[in-house]
Amino acid sequence: MELNNKSLFREKCFVNGLWADSQKGNTIEVNNPATMQIIGKVPNFSAEETKSVIDNADKAFQSWKNTTAKERSIILKKWSDLIIENVDDLAKIMTIEQGKPLAEAKGEILMGASYIEFYAEEAKRVYGDIIPDPRPGKRIVIIKQPVGVVGAITPWNFPNSMITRKCAAALAVGCTTVVKPASQTPFSALAVAELAKVAGFPDGVFNIITGSAKEIGMELTKNPKVKKISFTGSTEVGKILMEQSASTVKKISMELGGHAPFIVFEDADIDEAVAGALQSKFRNSGQTCICTNRIFAHKTVYDTFLEKFTKEVKKIKVGNGLEEGIVSGPLIDKSSLEKVIDHVKDAVNVGAKIAVGGDVHPLGGNFYQPTVLSNVSTKAKITFEETFGPVAPVYKFSNDDEVIRMANDTHMDLPLFYSGKRKNLESC
């Protein structure tokens, strides 16, 4: 990996201001999903080692919480500036370990830096409230204080922005953090830790540990010194973390699975609808929790939309994200590829037609063809399960009530995308 700033590629955890290996010497291999080659190895921290990191973060909290908002703001702004200065290297690390195209990776890095900049400014505006008391001559004063150590568990699909969004907010108000990044993409996390150290965070305030999600997650949720858990990932894992956090009644923030509908009404600008659906569905090869998973087109525009949409999907260039002009990279691993294959086969078995794609890409490995399915049955798995891949099922509807019912026919919370002149879609 050729980097301008070679210090950004780290194969050790960042603990209490130092780079550390696991005491037992255990490691986890990290693969490039585009080439299947090993990029490097990171420590496999145990629950006992995680406890030690939490202890250090709790100790650091005792002084970090007392720093002024201005001091915290200055360090955060410096961190943001350093990330922007190193955007090319950070994007390259992300593309190599995650697979998304380089331009898309750069966009994420800059988005992550913007989160930090935002909270650097908000650090100076953590105001309290004075509320009238029902009793005469009294006032109720509310002050806001940091909760303590925050455990952040982040996903592999956005390995920079999910860390910066969670941690910048916590650090800005005086909390310390222990971050467990996904094992598929730890190097992006360790790279921003290097820049956090340069920015001037005191030892123990910002920590990155890698290892078993089960062991580390259990310690983060059960340890009473951790006062808050922030998690982005699958609904199934979120339920487990919520249950484990209940033992110490932690504050929790969860961003879990999604199954977003995209609705094309009969009065929509079809070209705009196609452009919107392309961006929403195929960003990061469909591996985003808010990407379009089901496309509903009104019966009067269904054929036109399908034809234009399919034509544009055929133009998507698939390949290694480091190559020029690539729009869609690989899926993250073999299990993700197998899920996409299963969803497409199941949809076809219950009546769907393949408009384009529908198979593993000729490149092999973790690559799958950008796919459009028509005539999709509402009984297909893809209707109810999150695919997390470059597959767009297109459904036909007749009226507003029908499509609202179809869009809501899921157990997941939804972002809603629609194209047309409808002014009132609160029922979605």
Side-chain angles (χ1 to χ4, degrees), residues 223-287:
N223 194 308
K225 290 183 179 179
V226 177
K227 302 300 182 181
K228 180 178 174 64
I229 292 290
S230 178
F231 170 72
T232 298
S234 72
T235 303
E236 291 74 20
V237 174
K239 290 178 180 178
I240 294 171
L241 295 174
M242 290 177 73
E243 183 177 357
Q244 291 172 179
S245 297
S247 64
T248 51
V249 198
K250 296 189 192 306
K251 297 178 183 293
I252 55 174
S253 297
M254 300 278 171
E255 182 187 7
L256 307 178
H259 205 39
F262 187 105
I263 304 173
V264 184
F265 290 104
E266 68 272 23
D267 59 353
D269 181 317
I270 300 303
D271 291 333
E272 284 192 10
V274 168
L278 277 170
Q279 183 180 30
S280 176
K281 173 66 257 184
F282 293 101
R283 179 188 181 193
N284 198 19
S285 300
Q287 299 174 116

Side-chain angles (χ1 to χ4, degrees), residues 9 27-29 80 106 144 193 239 281 303 328 361 413 422:
F9 185 74
T27 59
I28 299 172
E29 291 183 351
S80 173
K106 286 184 180 180
K144 296 180 180 179
K239 290 178 180 178
K281 173 66 257 184
D303 291 338
S328 182
H361 197 277
D413 292 331
R422 297 300 193 276

Side-chain angles (χ1 to χ4, degrees), residues 16 78 93 101 115 122 175 180 204 256 281-283 285 330 336-337 360 384 428:
N16 204 28
K78 178 62 175 177
I93 291 171
Y115 290 143
E122 288 300 294
C175 295
K180 161 61 178 78
L256 307 178
K281 173 66 257 184
F282 293 101
R283 179 188 181 193
S285 300
S336 295
L337 178 68
V360 174
F384 300 103
C428 283

